[in-house]
Amino acid sequence: MDLQQFLMCLSLCTAFALSKPTEKKDRVHHEPQLSDKVHNDAQSFDYDHDAFLGAEEAKTFDQLTPEESKERLGKTVSKIDDNKDGFVTVDELKDWIKFAQKCWIYEDVERQWKGHDLNEDGLVSWEEYKNVTYGCVLDDPDPDDGFNYKQMMVRDEQRFKMADKDGDLIATKEEFTAFLHPEEYDYMKDIVLQEIMEDIDKNANGFIDLEEYIGDMYSHDGNTDEPEWVKTEREQFVEFRDKNCDGKMDKEETKDWILPSDYDHAEAEARHLVYESDQNKDGKLTKEEIVDKYDLFVGSQATDFGEALVRHDEF
């Protein structure tokens, strides 16, 4: 096996590795918390700083003076104001917060983008992705690692087509992001559901029964005694997952399980920031209103918005 095959296998092993027998595999996609700080403005604005900047960016608040921080915050307003009307709305602020929280996704996309845009035209076609990802391993009819690469390629192609909104089999960076991280996009939720159904529904009857549900999370591996959490999951299936009590989950019941309608932390924080900063109570913020409350957004410590702004421009 050459180096390229080895690296490919290594990445696939990471992506498809099974949990240890006593560990629980979590299929549920939850929105992450914006900060691990307590949200209490009477004590500090640390939660708001983490939410607005992302926790990693917030840690760099130790270099700039308040005046420098205000200046950089003012420049940031134009990045948040997508329609350039001079105001920052709740929706624009929510989008910025979501972006700040998910910079790691965009960094992952950027790394993969460079390796797949072979002709450097600013787009990634399905052919480019297929050649880079599967070009060598498909030549081996009996790979040593036991993976079915043809089946994996078919799944990738289905997902790529779903992400590719205009159907030309050529992905923009946004479409490529949706392909790599489908759980982050509403229009990709059906393919997330389809892939999980394919994984768990072993008899391919279109439903997930109790044993398939448990079998996806836990392997007995010869053990007769189940961990306590497995018993709890059996109860969860009967009492909450199987809503119509027919002994199995259909697609809608499975969707409710893996893609729950979570509380939108980003929207709640955006509304909070607007409420606290909106001096004339018109429901939107000007640059002046934001800078006047700079301590709520960025505090008086230092931050370097440079990297975040560059990433924002790229996407």
Side-chain angles (χ1 to χ4, degrees):
M1 181 180 290
D2 62 24
L3 178 60
Q4 186 175 3
Q5 285 179 306
F6 173 77
L7 292 175
M8 171 65 188
C9 292
L10 181 62
S11 64
L12 290 171
C13 285
T14 301
F16 289 87
L18 297 176
S19 300
K20 295 178 182 178
T22 56
E23 291 180 349
K24 180 180 177 181
K25 181 192 296 182
D26 192 2
R27 293 282 192 176
V28 183
H29 297 282
H30 288 290
E31 281 290 322
Q33 295 286 334
L34 301 182
S35 173
D36 59 5
K37 311 287 196 320
V38 175
H39 196 185
N40 185 346
D41 288 354
Q43 295 181 1
S44 75
F45 295 133
D46 288 345
Y47 178 99
D48 303 296
H49 298 166
D50 282 359
F52 183 69
L53 294 167
E56 289 304 313
E57 285 294 310
K59 291 177 182 177
T60 65
F61 278 30
D62 57 5
Q63 299 297 322
L64 302 182
T65 65
E67 289 71 23
E68 290 170 330
S69 187
K70 288 181 184 180
E71 181 181 357
R72 294 201 181 192
L73 176 59
K75 293 177 180 178
T76 305
V77 173
S78 63
K79 302 294 182 179
I80 305 173
D81 179 18
D82 280 343
N83 62 6
K84 308 305 178 188
D85 66 350
F87 297 97
V88 171
T89 65
V90 168
D91 285 341
E92 287 171 332
L93 195 50
K94 178 182 73 173
D95 290 343
W96 172 265
I97 291 171
K98 286 182 177 290
F99 169 80
Q101 296 297 314
K102 294 173 180 176
C103 278
W104 68 271
I105 290 177
Y106 302 121
E107 290 167 355
D108 173 57
V109 171
E110 190 62 30
R111 284 192 297 268
Q112 298 207 44
W113 183 265
K114 293 175 181 177
H116 289 90
D117 182 13
L118 299 180
N119 61 5
E120 299 182 350
D121 65 347
L123 301 165
V124 172
S125 68
W126 166 246
E127 287 301 315
E128 285 177 316
Y129 180 82
K130 181 177 70 172
N131 289 337
V132 171
T133 307
Y134 297 104
C136 61
V137 294
L138 289 177
D139 294 334
D140 185 355
D142 187 24
D144 295 336
D145 52 40
F147 284 119
N148 186 335
Y149 291 106
K150 289 184 178 179
Q151 183 178 340
M152 291 160 63
M153 186 179 71
V154 169
R155 172 177 285 199
D156 272 356
E157 185 174 12
Q158 290 175 340
R159 188 194 288 189
F160 194 97
K161 288 179 177 178
M162 180 69 74
D164 175 32
K165 286 185 173 181
D166 58 10
D168 61 358
L169 287 180
I170 299 174
T172 63
K173 189 167 287 188
E174 184 71 16
E175 290 169 336
F176 194 61
T177 306
F179 166 68
L180 294 176
H181 298 277
E183 69 281 355
E184 303 295 336
Y185 290 80
D186 286 340
Y187 81 99
M188 295 293 290
K189 287 184 177 179
D190 285 344
I191 200 70
V192 173
L193 175 62
Q194 177 182 321
E195 290 177 1
I196 289 180
M197 289 288 292
E198 290 172 355
D199 286 343
I200 305 177
D201 179 19
K202 300 303 183 183
N203 61 10
N205 68 347
F207 299 92
I208 296 174
D209 61 34
L210 176 57
E211 293 312 309
E212 288 172 331
Y213 174 79
I214 295 298
D216 180 64
M217 300 179 181
Y218 171 72
S219 173
H220 287 273
D221 198 29
N223 297 326
T224 56
D225 295 330
E226 292 182 340
E228 193 62 33
W229 69 260
V230 176
K231 298 176 183 178
T232 301
E233 283 298 336
R234 290 185 181 278
E235 296 171 359
Q236 290 285 318
F237 183 93
V238 173
E239 296 177 15
F240 301 106
R241 311 284 186 235
D242 178 20
K243 291 181 168 54
N244 60 5
C245 301
D246 64 352
K248 56 194 176 185
M249 290 193 298
D250 58 25
K251 286 186 177 180
E252 285 304 311
E253 289 169 329
T254 304
K255 186 175 183 179
D256 288 343
W257 165 46
I258 64 170
L259 298 168
S261 299
D262 283 343
Y263 175 74
D264 194 329
H265 297 281
E267 181 174 357
E269 176 64 9
R271 292 187 180 280
H272 167 67
L273 292 174
V274 170
Y275 177 81
E276 294 295 334
S277 310
D278 184 15
Q279 296 175 10
N280 62 3
K281 303 304 177 185
D282 63 352
K284 52 191 176 183
L285 301 179
T286 63
K287 173 182 175 180
E288 290 72 21
E289 287 174 323
I290 292 175
V291 173
D292 283 347
K293 288 285 288 186
Y294 82 99
D295 57 332
L296 174 64
F297 290 87
V298 299
S300 60
Q301 299 179 68
T303 185
D304 180 5
F305 288 94
E307 288 186 25
L309 297 184
V310 168
R311 289 194 292 265
H312 189 274
D313 286 340
E314 288 175 348
F315 287 87

